[in-house]
Amino acid sequence: GTPIAENAMTGVALGAALCGLRPIHVHLRNDFLLVAMDQIANYVAKWQDMFDHQVKVPLVIRSIIGRGWGCGAQHSQSLHGLFAQIPGLKVVMPSTPYDAKGLFLAAVADDSPVLFLEHRWLYKNTGSVPQEMYTLPIGKCAPMRTGSSLTIVATSLAAIHALKACEEHDLDVD
């Protein structure tokens, strides 16, 4: 593991991306991404715009969100809304195992920085995942259930909870 040097290690990952590598930098808890906010908001997310998209920043920052497992308040936040407001940074939050593989491979292939956030409570879920390589489009929704009386938009664990609620109440969801 790396030392408690989130800002520095994020800078190292950015440097590797700028040198032509496709680093996957893992921050185990998204709460500590705040320590790296200078690198993320001012450099990782802005580098392409500062140089008129003449450079690629193929960096994936992977982190875990959500409470649980005995985590304290500073180890269990879901800060995706904060990061989604940073221009130049893509934020991805899979809901199913199928989404996780397809979106992760898309994030690695992307030439722009992607923050890949996984909710800790989704790790226990199972589902069909093809062995072959596939990607899912970043920034596109994937309908999980269709109907005509209600539209629910949710990400990550919230999408699973919404789907379960619809099934339990037999809602006709659009």
Side-chain angles (χ1 to χ4, degrees), residues 55 72 100 105 148:
V55 296
L105 292 175
S148 60

Side-chain angles (χ1 to χ4, degrees), residues 51-122:
F51 294 96
D52 197 28
H53 288 263
Q54 295 179 36
V55 296
K56 297 177 183 177
V57 184
L59 170 59
V60 176
I61 300 174
R62 185 175 170 216
S63 193
I64 299 171
I65 63 170
R67 62 181 177 79
W69 300 344
C71 297
Q74 75 278 28
H75 291 77
S76 58
Q77 300 177 82
S78 297
L79 300 170
H80 50 281
L82 174 68
F83 290 104
Q85 302 306 310
I86 299 173
L89 182 66
K90 298 176 182 180
V91 178
V92 173
M93 299 174 64
S95 299
T96 66
Y98 179 83
D99 293 344
K101 179 179 178 179
L103 289 171
F104 188 73
L105 292 175
V108 171
D110 202 302
D111 287 333
S112 297
V114 178
L115 179 57
F116 192 87
L117 298 175
E118 305 162 57
H119 198 290
R120 72 180 75 244
W121 288 8
L122 292 175

Side-chain angles (χ1 to χ4, degrees), residues 150-172:
L150 180 66
T151 299
I152 298 173
V153 178
T155 60
S156 188
L157 181 62
I160 301 303
H161 287 313
L163 184 60
K164 187 175 182 177
C166 291
E167 290 170 355
E168 287 176 2
H169 298 287
D170 197 29
L171 296 175
D172 187 22

